[in-house]
Amino acid sequence: MAMPRPTAAQLAYGACTVIFSTFAMLLLSQTSSGAGIAVIAVAALALGLLVAMTVPVSQKRPTAVEQPAPQEPVRASIPAPAPEPVRERAAS
């Protein structure tokens, strides 16, 4: 069975999670060592993957079966225009 492709919403939520969580963890931990930054980066990637995979995927809604409308006589909703008087040209 093939793995489904991620939707645009999943990619967007995951990317935003990685960016913002990395930024927040770096600010809160105030680490400057390479190992600390690597741990934070890996944790942010894991969190972004978790968020991207848990975003609900929209399911295709089953379409309702269309039932034909009951046959009713068609009624005109616009009244017929009043006849215009005939205008005759003057003979020249």
Side-chain angles (χ1 to χ4, degrees), residues 76-85:
S77 59
I78 301 174
E84 291 186 25

Side-chain angles (χ1 to χ4, degrees), residues 31-49:
T31 186
S32 59
S33 68
I37 293 173
V39 168
I40 288 174
V42 169
L45 285 173
L47 185 61
L49 182 63

Side-chain angles (χ1 to χ4, degrees), residues 14 17-18 21-22 25 39-51:
T17 301
V18 170
S21 63
T22 303
M25 286 189 279
V39 168
I40 288 174
V42 169
L45 285 173
L47 185 61
L49 182 63
L50 176 71
V51 167

